[in-house]
Amino acid sequence: MRTSASLCFAVLAIAAFVSSPTAPAAAQIAPTPAPKPAPKSTPKAAPVTAATPPMGWNSWNFFAGKVTDKDIRAAADNLVATGMKDAGYIYVNIDDTWEGQRDADGVLHTNAKFPDMKALADYVHSKGLKIGIYSGPGNKTCAGFPASLGHEEQDAKLYADWGIDYLKYDECSFTGDVLEKQAPGDKPAQMRLMVAAYEKMGHALQATGRPIVFSLCQYGWDAVWEWAPALGGNLWRTTGDINPRWDRIYAILSQQDGLAKYAGPGHWNDPDMLEVGNGKLSLQENWSHFAMWAMLASPLLAGNDLPNMKPEIKAILTNSDVIAIDQDRLGRQGTRAYSDGEVEVWTRHLSGGALAIAVLDAGDARYSTHPFHLDLAKLGLHGPQKAKDLKTGNDITLTPNMPIEIASHDTLLVRIPSPK
Ligand code: GLA
């Protein structure tokens, strides 16, 4: 894949050379070719898959191994009923534990929890939504169900026949099944095997001719962000699993620093699915998690109990100003501009020259006696800045060095339409 990237570069370089106005004399004295008739119509470029970070809902964070066909239908119904679909949540993704057994021809069947995958896909599509599924490059998924090793093309075709729109491909047993068997103790060789396995499924998906979002889940090993886009990866997990605890969410956030340059339309860093509304996260923690994932241009895959979603959780997940930051068409991921103790200031450049600023109090004990002071100059901003506070929806003016009191684990998220 690195070879194909350099080949691509070489072709571009040759093209640039040929069209260069300073091309050598030999190119200039060539006979002028007869003008070609103008094409009747210019073929349209295929739309970019995942031009903005995918949004939807995934079954794992709430249901784990208990998910059924009924839960997926209910999730689709609730995405529509709650307004989440209108807010942009389009994918309904079945995670692990849908798989049954392979038949004598190697065709994988669903298990009893999912009696008819094609009918389920049709149902989800009938709601104006898309459907995702889960497998992996090993013999088994993480939950021990059959995965795709040796059946990649067959499985990709099956997904396309069912009408699947998204595949999460999870490393799991590939380590034991292939890496440790074929290249024991040789990490570089193991990593080459892993890249080849993801490439195989990437090509198999492309060969179906159906646009299927390809989500790599191999926990950020071996700088996946460098090689995933070339094999058709639309997103790639950058870390191990998330869970609904602030410490874990913050640890994952911290690991995203430095990855911004790898994100862009069609290819995104994935700090894992949302835990908003799960576990015992406080309201501030739910908000900060969502706000920071938007700053990261992260896929927004809710993972909560949709039929029982509390209004305050719905308000977070459907905050259109925050979603607009996440989905900004430039696709530039935010970065940490500076920190002051446990308070961090992140910025994200948006289309139209706008700027988002997130001020996160990641600590437990900063009080009004010593408020944080926002240093606008450190963000390249001069003088007062008119902004919108995206939590309250109110206009605010940021002034140089202004004191800001932020509760523990809370975030001030603002958008400045015209930064000065
Ligand atoms: C891994 C993944 C999770 C989930 C489970 C399913 O742990 O990282 O997101 O898909 O497998 O078994």
Side-chain angles (χ1 to χ4, degrees):
M1 180 210 41
R2 284 204 172 98
T3 321
S4 64
S6 32
L7 184 64
C8 185
F9 178 75
V11 170
L12 285 175
I14 291 166
F17 176 74
V18 168
S19 64
S20 159
T22 54
Q28 289 169 4
I29 57 169
T32 316
K36 281 189 190 148
K40 287 207 178 75
S41 66
T42 323
K44 268 203 191 144
V48 176
T49 303
T52 58
M55 289 179 67
W57 176 91
N58 172 294
S59 60
W60 187 255
N61 285 353
F62 182 72
F63 288 103
K66 295 198 177 103
V67 66
T68 65
D69 173 290
K70 199 166 145 267
D71 299 323
I72 298 297
R73 284 171 194 256
D77 294 345
N78 280 283
L79 285 179
V80 175
T82 57
M84 284 181 70
K85 177 192 162 201
D86 290 341
Y89 295 84
I90 291 300
Y91 290 94
V92 185
N93 291 352
I94 309 166
D95 207 277
D96 205 350
T97 79
W98 63 267
E99 311 86 343
Q101 295 304 318
R102 292 192 187 275
D103 64 21
D105 298 323
V107 178
L108 184 58
H109 293 265
T110 53
N111 62 38
K113 296 192 297 152
F114 290 87
D116 186 340
M117 194 61 88
K118 175 83 175 78
L120 179 56
D122 288 348
Y123 183 79
V124 171
H125 289 149
S126 76
K127 302 272 158 184
L129 299 164
K130 295 179 185 249
I131 184 161
I133 211 163
Y134 167 99
S135 188
N139 279 317
K140 297 250 181 274
T141 66
C142 289
F145 289 72
S148 295
L149 183 62
H151 297 274
E152 293 81 359
E153 286 84 7
Q154 198 173 22
D155 286 358
K157 191 165 174 320
L158 181 68
Y159 307 148
D161 290 348
W162 281 339
I164 297 293
D165 306 295
Y166 185 118
L167 173 68
K168 173 174 169 184
Y169 207 49
D170 198 348
E171 206 269 357
C172 280
S173 83
F174 191 72
T175 301
D177 294 341
V178 174
L179 303 186
E180 283 165 5
K181 282 199 184 124
Q182 290 186 23
D186 184 348
K187 278 283 169 198
Q190 291 184 355
M191 291 303 132
R192 284 192 291 273
L193 284 167
M194 188 180 55
V195 174
Y198 277 91
E199 190 168 38
K200 193 164 194 185
M201 184 49 98
H203 289 169
L205 292 175
Q206 281 157 17
T208 67
R210 183 178 176 84
I212 298 179
V213 173
F214 189 28
S215 157
L216 279 69
C217 182
Q218 51 75 273
Y219 330 115
W221 295 345
D222 205 27
V224 57
W225 37 86
E226 288 188 359
W227 49 266
L231 57 79
N234 299 115
L235 60 154
W236 48 85
R237 280 273 296 278
T238 55
T239 67
D241 287 13
I242 198 166
N243 62 48
R245 293 174 55 93
W246 174 254
D247 288 358
R248 183 64 192 142
I249 289 166
Y250 179 65
I252 290 179
L253 170 68
S254 303
Q255 287 179 66
Q256 308 312 307
D257 207 15
L259 297 183
K261 66 179 176 189
Y262 300 102
H267 49 96
W268 308 101
N269 291 303
D270 174 11
D272 209 352
M273 305 170 296
L274 295 168
E275 292 283 12
V276 175
N278 288 342
K280 295 196 169 113
L281 292 172
S282 69
L283 201 54
Q284 286 87 351
E285 290 167 346
N286 278 308
W287 163 257
S288 291
H289 175 22
F290 193 63
M292 294 313 299
W293 260 230
M295 288 295 283
L296 293 172
S298 164
L300 295 181
L301 295 170
N304 59 325
D305 180 10
L306 291 176
N308 297 301
M309 176 162 55
K310 294 196 176 119
E312 61 273 24
I313 296 301
K314 180 173 136 182
I316 292 175
L317 286 171
T318 57
N319 182 312
S320 56
D321 287 326
V322 182
I323 291 172
I325 302 245
D326 181 76
Q327 296 288 301
D328 186 82
R329 64 184 162 77
L330 277 188
R332 286 183 66 181
Q333 181 174 326
T335 55
R336 181 158 48 195
Y338 77 96
S339 57
D340 173 353
E342 289 171 300
V343 179
E344 302 188 1
V345 182
W346 291 65
T347 55
R348 180 171 173 188
H349 292 278
L350 305 167
S351 51
L355 182 74
I357 305 176
V359 186
L360 162 69
D361 180 357
D364 295 325
R366 187 159 188 158
Y367 303 104
S368 54
T369 50
H370 291 84
F372 168 76
H373 290 260
L374 180 61
D375 190 343
L376 290 179
K378 276 196 174 141
L379 311 180
L381 300 173
H382 303 288
Q385 307 288 328
K386 287 207 161 94
K388 181 174 182 185
D389 177 335
L390 303 190
K391 189 196 265 187
T392 61
N394 295 336
D395 291 339
I396 58 166
T397 301
L398 303 178
T399 54
N401 240 17
M402 72 189 282
I404 301 179
E405 200 188 329
I406 302 171
S408 168
H409 303 175
D410 203 358
T411 299
L412 171 72
L413 178 65
V414 302
R415 181 189 186 107
I416 306 180
S418 321
K420 287 181 262 180

